[in-house]
Amino acid sequence: MQEKDSLLLIEKIENKILYIRGHKVMIDYDLAFLYEIETKQLKRQVKRNIDRFPEDFMFELTKEEHEVLRSQFGTLKRGAHAKYLPMVFTEQGVAMLSSVLSSDRAIKVNIEIMRAFTRLRKMISSYKDLVKKVEDMEKKYDENFAMVFEALKQLI
């Protein structure tokens, strides 16, 4: 995969990473789309290998979570009328998928997904560092800079 294609794929993947139940996750139908397989095929492989997917690797959304998710996006997505609730996969779950989906495409996509998760972790770390620096600076300077710090907080 060329570097330009890789960056585009990582960007596409980052937009599919959601925060649910305190975990960064990806939804089964988004993963199936990236792997270029049907969602039911992905689910079938997971169910055949369910021992590889403990709760901290993969869990099924509740009906309420699925409704909230659908309402956030405003439109029905692929799989919106599915018979079963979506499965979501944490970073470890996505890594485990590479062992049950062994196509060349799945391997390449998994590598890019791992890169996207890593990039997100770095961005979150940078964000926390930036917030701490602004807070430290705010403690040093007097009220004359209050507007500046308020503007910085809004940007952050």
Side-chain angles (χ1 to χ4, degrees):
M1 201 175 275
Q2 292 181 341
E3 188 175 337
K4 183 181 175 188
D5 293 338
S6 177
L7 288 174
L8 287 174
L9 185 57
I10 288 174
E11 212 171 278
K12 208 184 250 186
I13 291 165
E14 285 176 355
N15 293 328
K16 302 292 184 191
I17 297 174
L18 307 170
Y19 197 71
I20 300 174
R21 295 188 201 171
H23 298 281
K24 289 185 293 283
V25 297
M26 292 186 74
I27 300 175
D28 58 7
Y29 49 79
D30 287 334
L31 287 164
F33 178 77
L34 290 168
Y35 293 138
E36 297 178 350
I37 60 173
E38 290 185 22
T39 305
K40 67 181 179 182
Q41 183 182 352
L42 183 140
K43 287 182 177 235
R44 190 178 315 121
Q45 286 301 102
V46 170
K47 287 178 182 175
R48 284 182 183 157
N49 297 279
I50 199 66
D51 292 345
R52 295 177 186 233
F53 296 94
E55 187 79 11
D56 57 329
F57 281 32
M58 181 276 301
F59 54 90
E60 194 172 84
L61 293 181
T62 65
K63 191 172 186 170
E64 294 78 23
E65 288 169 330
H66 189 228
E67 288 301 319
V68 168
L69 197 60
R70 284 179 51 200
S71 69
Q72 285 178 350
F73 292 108
T75 59
L76 293 176
K77 297 182 72 165
R78 255 182 69 189
H81 292 295
K83 189 175 176 181
Y84 303 102
L85 291 167
M87 296 172 167
V88 294
F89 296 83
T90 63
E91 183 175 356
Q92 294 83 2
V94 171
M96 189 58 73
L97 276 174
S98 67
S99 69
V100 298
L101 302 172
S102 56
S103 71
D104 287 342
R105 173 74 183 175
I107 292 166
K108 288 175 184 170
V109 168
N110 262 40
I111 289 168
E112 299 310 318
I113 291 171
M114 294 300 107
R115 288 178 176 151
F117 273 107
T118 301
R119 197 167 119 170
L120 277 178
R121 248 193 319 280
K122 286 179 184 175
M123 286 170 48
I124 289 168
S125 176
S126 297
Y127 170 79
K128 288 178 182 174
D129 291 345
L130 180 60
V131 169
K132 178 149 178 36
K133 285 178 184 175
V134 169
E135 287 172 351
D136 290 346
M137 286 172 58
E138 193 173 12
K139 290 174 187 170
K140 285 183 188 177
Y141 297 99
D142 61 18
E143 289 119 28
N144 295 332
F145 289 95
M147 267 180 36
V148 172
F149 289 114
E150 191 55 40
L152 282 172
K153 285 179 186 177
Q154 294 298 322
L155 288 173
I156 291 173

